Each structure stands twice: as C-alpha cells, then as structure tokens.
Amino acid sequence: MLFRFTALTALVATATASNSTGPYALRITGKTDTSINGYAAACHAGAAIEGLCYAAGASPEAGSVTQFYYNYTAYNSDTGMPLQPGWITYLLNAGSTNGTITVPSSVRFYPSFGSNVMTALIYPSVEDGTAVYYHPENGSLYVNGGYDDSQFNTTYPNPVPSLGNLSNFHLCYQFTGGYYYNSIAWVSTTPPRNPSCQPVDLSLEELS
C-alpha cells in the first residue's frame, strides 16, 4: 500500500504540528460474518461529534463523510514512511452563522465502565486521537495491547508478559453519542458484553 503525503487546509496546518497522509476510506470487513463488507461513514452523534457508522457496499459513499487521514508526528527520512503509532483524523464540515466551517477532529475509543465495549467517536482536536498502528502491506489497523496482567501476583514478572498486537475492532448496535447506530467499537476483552457485536477488520484504503 502506498502512503502519500497530503497537504490539508490551512486550518488543519494551524491546528496541529503533526503530519497527515490520505485521504483514505476505512474499510470494514467481517472476520466471521462474511456478509459484513463495507466502509465507515461519519455519522452525527452530538454537537460537533461523529461516530463511525457502517455503510455496506463495494465502494465508499461519495463525499467527505468517508474521507479520513492518518496523522503522525514524525517520519522515516529514508523511506518517507510515517513513524508509528499515529491516529485517525477527520475533517468535519459544520454549519454556522458565518457559513460552513471545517473542524479538524480525531477518532477516539471511549470506555463504558460497565461494559467491555468502547465506542468509536470523532471529537474536535487532531491531537487527542487513540494511538493506532497499520500494516503497510494492506493498511489493516491494530493497537499495542500492552502488559498481559492475567498472571500478575506479588512476584515481579520476568520477563514482563505482553499481549502483543491486537485488532479487537467490532461492529455493534450501540448508543453512539446520543444516537443508536450500527457502528465501530473496540472490545477490550472477548467475548463482548454487547451480543450484537461482530468482530471486524478495519483497514486504511486509499481514495483516488
């Protein structure tokens, strides 16, 4: 997969010191349910807040709601590739009394403390997104799982166990902000408490 540099609007340039590649579509494919085959589309979840809703189809819907970017803070000067991790960003077009404004925003996973399902929400600010990695060959997203604390006790662990790379993205019927959608979530431990959740791969796909 080719990752290219993109010059965003002046508003984005002044809002963040990080760099961006894109635009990309976020492809959603089911891991066990092969009927899930589509793309993420930003969907209204509150004032200047969006969710990552599922839109079925062999190609992403036309328009800015399916256009996302990968932000990062540095890159490899030899290859030009972004240094990971980075985070997924989105340009929200919002109406105001002065016309339409563009609000740089980022994807974050918010916990529900009574559940193991964390809803993906897009909030203003491009510096506060959840850190994610991608596989350069296919754009598939994942996160660093951190410590494996399942065997922790009074003895200091040596070596320190790690959960490795995780790709626990799910598509769930859930409250996404103030609205009930079929949208992307992260499941911290399986199985998900929400029985509607289906495991999916979430991948960056270049838009021409």
Side-chain angles (χ1 to χ4, degrees):
M1 169 174 284
L2 172 65
F3 286 81
R4 62 178 181 270
F5 296 96
T6 301
L8 301 182
T9 64
L11 176 61
V12 179
T14 57
T16 174
S18 63
N19 303 290
S20 296
T21 61
Y24 303 108
L26 287 178
R27 186 166 181 81
I28 301 171
T29 51
K31 291 182 175 179
T32 56
D33 184 349
T34 56
S35 70
I36 299 174
N37 185 22
Y39 292 86
C43 48
H44 179 69
I49 304 169
E50 304 285 303
L52 285 179
C53 286
Y54 175 67
S59 59
E61 295 178 3
S64 62
V65 296
T66 57
Q67 294 182 5
F68 300 90
Y69 299 84
Y70 188 81
N71 275 44
Y72 58 97
T73 55
Y75 67 94
N76 185 313
S77 59
D78 294 326
T79 65
M81 295 290 288
L83 295 180
Q84 301 186 55
W87 55 101
I88 304 301
T89 57
Y90 174 72
L91 301 180
L92 172 64
N93 293 319
S96 72
T97 56
N98 297 320
T100 301
I101 61 173
T102 301
V103 182
S105 305
S106 56
V107 177
R108 316 172 202 179
F109 290 90
Y110 277 85
S112 173
F113 293 109
S115 176
N116 59 356
V117 178
M118 297 185 285
T119 305
L121 292 173
I122 305 172
Y123 271 86
S125 174
V126 293
E127 295 296 340
D128 300 319
T130 297
V132 294
Y133 297 77
Y134 65 86
H135 294 289
E137 65 275 10
N138 61 14
S140 181
L141 298 174
Y142 64 94
V143 304
N144 186 317
Y147 298 130
D148 179 0
D149 63 356
S150 62
Q151 303 296 322
F152 280 8
N153 53 43
T154 57
T155 303
Y156 186 91
N158 187 17
V160 177
S162 169
L163 289 170
N165 298 330
L166 302 178
S167 179
N168 291 356
F169 300 106
H170 283 65
L171 188 62
C172 311
Y173 284 94
Q174 59 184 332
F175 281 100
T176 308
Y179 299 83
Y180 195 69
Y181 294 133
N182 190 22
S183 66
I184 290 294
W186 178 268
V187 174
S188 57
T189 56
T190 56
R193 180 177 175 85
N194 179 340
S196 77
C197 291
Q198 295 293 325
V200 297
D201 284 315
L202 190 63
S203 305
L204 297 173
E205 184 176 286
E206 281 194 351
L207 291 170
S208 57

